[in-house]
């Protein structure tokens, strides 16, 4: 992914108002992000832990969506859950159900689409082995890194389509 500016990130959001996009918490370390290893920019809001944000390239433009973590979900620390995008297994609370308001009128009526993602939204780094989950379980795959990245893109774009992004 190409490096992004705060202005580009804020302008990319499609499932919230422009005012909400202006007020959301953009990471201060955009310049230090490992852009060459990112397939999308994802982060959780440190001031509002139930909020997350995802910015990806789709059809040669940036698309940003706001996400909300489900509340009150208790996960067993003994169980492992798997991210729907990168298929990384995480112990305990390492995977979260994140819901995105749909684009347009459907979203204004409260309709959402959800997906299980790495709770910290760092799927790209887990996929490349640049970040570890803390769990011992890791699936052995015969796919190349390029094939895993392609699978992540397909799953990400399927989710964006469910949210209503063209």
């Amino acid at each position: 992914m190409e490096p992004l500016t705060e202005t580009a990130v804020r302008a990319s959001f499609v499932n919230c108002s422009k005012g909400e996009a202006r007020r959301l918490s953009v990471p201060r370390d955009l310049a230090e992000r490992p852009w060459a290893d990112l397939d999308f920019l994802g982060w959780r809001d440190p001031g509002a832990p139930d909020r997350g944000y995802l910015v990806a390239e789709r059809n040669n433009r940036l698309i940003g969506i706001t996400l909300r973590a489900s509340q009150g979900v208790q996960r067993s620390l003994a169980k492992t859950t798997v991210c729907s995008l990168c298929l990384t297994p995480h112990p305990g609370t390492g995977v979260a159900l994140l819901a995105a308001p749909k684009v347009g009128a459907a979203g204004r009526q409260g309709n959402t689409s959800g997906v299980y993602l790495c709770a910290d939204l760092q799927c790209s780094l887990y996929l490349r082995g640049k970040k570890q989950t803390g769990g011992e379980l890791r699936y052995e795959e015969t796919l190349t890194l390029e094939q895993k990245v392609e699978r992540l893109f397909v799953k990400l774009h399927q989710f964006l389509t469910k949210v209503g992004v063209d």
Side-chain angles (χ1 to χ4, degrees):
M1 182 170 207
E2 294 295 320
L4 302 177
T5 65
E6 181 177 340
T7 302
V9 168
R10 289 187 190 284
S12 71
F13 284 89
V14 296
N15 68 341
C16 67
S17 71
K18 289 181 182 184
E20 289 171 313
R22 274 193 309 271
R23 291 186 300 274
L24 64 85
S25 175
V26 175
R28 301 271 182 233
D29 66 344
L30 285 178
E32 290 84 42
R33 294 281 170 138
W35 293 105
D37 292 325
L38 297 182
D39 304 304
F40 63 88
L41 174 63
W43 74 98
R44 296 291 287 266
D45 186 336
D50 65 325
R51 292 186 188 160
Y53 307 98
L54 189 149
V55 178
E57 293 177 25
R58 182 171 168 127
N59 298 327
N60 296 319
R61 67 175 221 211
L62 283 179
I63 300 294
I65 58 171
T66 62
L67 302 161
R68 284 259 175 173
S70 56
Q71 296 295 313
V73 176
Q74 297 295 321
R75 296 233 185 249
S76 167
L77 294 177
K79 290 187 179 178
T80 298
T81 50
V82 177
C83 173
S84 297
L85 291 187
C86 65
L87 301 184
T88 299
H90 290 268
T93 59
V95 170
L97 175 59
L98 296 169
K102 291 197 173 207
V103 173
R108 288 188 294 276
Q109 293 174 357
N111 295 325
T112 62
S113 186
V115 65
Y116 286 95
L117 297 174
C118 295
D120 60 3
L121 298 169
Q122 299 302 304
C123 302
S124 300
L125 300 180
Y126 291 116
L127 190 72
R128 289 168 173 78
K130 307 267 177 162
K131 191 167 184 178
Q132 301 302 314
T133 64
E136 295 180 21
L137 180 62
R138 184 75 184 164
Y139 299 122
E140 291 297 323
E141 291 190 281
T142 58
L143 298 177
T144 65
L145 176 59
E146 291 78 21
Q147 290 169 320
K148 292 177 187 178
V149 169
E150 179 62 27
R151 178 181 63 200
L152 181 142
F153 274 121
V154 167
K155 291 178 174 289
L156 175 61
H157 290 289
Q158 288 171 342
F159 175 62
L160 291 174
T161 299
K162 287 181 183 177
V163 173
V165 177
D166 292 326

